[in-house]
């Protein structure tokens, strides 16, 4: 198959859509991103997004999946997530976190999202206890989000983002390898 075949062009278009979706979901979250905004960013018609991925939910599931075989990508992604969580939260994320304990729909949405994160992350970790370690990491990031943005824990007032990122990177690197793997 040469680079100009119909299949090659279709694959490049699908990749362009996926990359645009990753950017849109990162900037606006699931609720804020639209098929139309993904299409505009990718430079294609919205119907082409649907043709390649079927639905916004399907596109989201693929766009947020971490590479299963790449531990460094998973760790780097989590460090990026921590960086975002240290900054200002998007309104939709703030609303979801604030509502997750009192609104059944928000609870279900958050649980599904976090379960997916645990699944993606555990697939990139080594060892029999990978799922347990992934659950701890995902729960810790949720706790960080709550402590930083809702409880306004004083420890964050004097903690630089670089210091937190360095500590988080070392911790996640250790978590990805598991106990006794150094």
């Amino acid at each position: 198959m040469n680079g100009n075949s119909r299949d090659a062009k279709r694959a490049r278009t699908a990749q362009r859509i996926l990359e645009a979706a990753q950017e849109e979901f990162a900037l606006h979250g699931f609720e804020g991103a639209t098929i139309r905004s993904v299409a505009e960013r990718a430079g294609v018609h919205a119907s082409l997004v649907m043709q390649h991925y079927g639905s916004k939910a399907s596109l989201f599931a693929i766009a947020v999946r971490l590479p299963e075989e790449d531990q460094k990508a998973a760790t780097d992604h989590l460090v990026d997530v921590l960086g975002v969580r240290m900054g200002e939260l998007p309104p939709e994320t703030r609303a979801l976190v604030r509502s997750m304990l009192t609104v059944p729909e928000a609870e279900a949405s958050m649980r599904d999202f976090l379960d997916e994160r645990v699944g993606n992350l555990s697939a990139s970790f080594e060892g029999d206890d990978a799922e347990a370690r992934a659950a701890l990491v995902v729960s810790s990031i949720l706790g960080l989000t709550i402590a930083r943005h809702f409880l306004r824990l004083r420890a964050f007032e004097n903690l630089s983002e670089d210091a937190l990122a360095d500590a988080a990177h070392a911790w996640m690197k250790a978590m990805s390898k598991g106990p006794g793997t150094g």
Side-chain angles (χ1 to χ4, degrees), residues 133 169-179 181-182:
R133 286 181 286 115
H169 192 269
W171 178 67
M172 283 188 253
K173 185 176 178 183
M175 288 295 282
S176 72
K177 293 182 180 187
T181 59

Side-chain angles (χ1 to χ4, degrees), residues 103-166:
V103 178
E105 295 83 5
E107 174 191 344
S109 179
M110 182 62 86
R111 181 178 43 253
D112 291 347
F113 176 77
L114 295 176
D115 280 343
E116 184 178 343
R117 300 272 82 56
V118 169
N120 287 343
L121 189 57
S122 67
S124 70
F125 281 0
E126 299 171 355
D128 294 336
D129 64 345
E131 186 173 35
R133 286 181 286 115
L136 286 171
V137 169
V138 170
S139 299
S140 296
I141 292 173
L142 176 61
L144 170 74
T145 303
I146 292 168
R148 165 82 168 91
H149 294 284
F150 296 94
L151 299 176
R152 300 192 190 285
L153 194 65
R154 286 187 197 100
F156 290 111
E157 291 174 7
N158 298 318
L159 185 62
S160 75
E161 289 185 29
D162 288 342
L164 180 65
D166 290 345

Side-chain angles (χ1 to χ4, degrees), residues 43-156:
V44 300
H45 192 275
S47 64
L48 201 52
V49 175
M50 299 302 286
Q51 192 177 66
H52 278 277
Y53 293 97
S55 69
K56 180 178 167 182
S58 296
L59 178 57
F60 180 76
I62 293 167
V64 298
R65 187 176 300 144
L66 292 172
E68 292 181 10
E69 69 286 345
D70 189 347
Q71 290 179 7
K72 183 178 180 335
T75 301
D76 289 348
H77 171 73
L78 289 172
V79 170
D80 290 345
V81 168
L82 278 173
V84 169
R85 294 300 179 249
M86 285 301 295
E88 199 55 41
L89 290 178
E92 59 276 4
T93 302
R94 184 175 283 283
L96 180 60
V97 172
R98 178 170 281 140
S99 303
M100 71 184 182
L101 298 177
T102 58
V103 178
E105 295 83 5
E107 174 191 344
S109 179
M110 182 62 86
R111 181 178 43 253
D112 291 347
F113 176 77
L114 295 176
D115 280 343
E116 184 178 343
R117 300 272 82 56
V118 169
N120 287 343
L121 189 57
S122 67
S124 70
F125 281 0
E126 299 171 355
D128 294 336
D129 64 345
E131 186 173 35
R133 286 181 286 115
L136 286 171
V137 169
V138 170
S139 299
S140 296
I141 292 173
L142 176 61
L144 170 74
T145 303
I146 292 168
R148 165 82 168 91
H149 294 284
F150 296 94
L151 299 176
R152 300 192 190 285
L153 194 65
R154 286 187 197 100
F156 290 111

